Amino acid sequence: MNSARIAAGRGPLIALDARPGWRRSRDGIHAAHVALTDAGAAVQAGAADRMAFGAPGRWIGGMRVDATCPWRWDRDAGRVVSAQ
């Protein structure tokens, strides 16, 4: 997951503390202190859905996945589950 994507949006999942000489690149962030936000901790614990925090949609396997998509991938179960 690209760190720049999860640091943006309505409810960023990480907070960035820029250090001198830091730079944002296409594949991530370098020379910055990264901390988990409360929203990020809730998502990590499975208590919140990342899409509820304004995560940008993306295409996966030919399907658009965004906040309106009715399913999510359950990594532990290894299958698609309802988002409700």
Side-chain angles (χ1 to χ4, degrees):
M1 183 179 302
N2 187 310
S3 54
R5 290 182 73 186
I6 63 174
R10 283 193 323 261
L13 304 183
I14 60 173
L16 302 174
D17 177 19
R19 307 257 190 242
W22 89 292
R23 63 185 168 93
R24 196 180 290 240
S25 70
R26 181 169 150 69
D27 62 343
I29 296 171
H30 306 278
H33 175 76
V34 179
L36 200 58
T37 64
D38 290 342
V43 170
Q44 182 182 36
D49 184 354
R50 176 178 178 238
M51 298 307 231
F53 293 102
R58 61 188 180 139
W59 288 93
I60 300 175
M63 180 171 203
R64 178 79 178 162
V65 178
D66 58 22
T68 64
C69 183
W71 62 267
R72 301 289 185 265
W73 179 256
D74 184 323
R75 188 178 302 182
D76 294 335
R79 63 186 175 88
V80 172
V81 298
S82 172
Q84 276 67 26

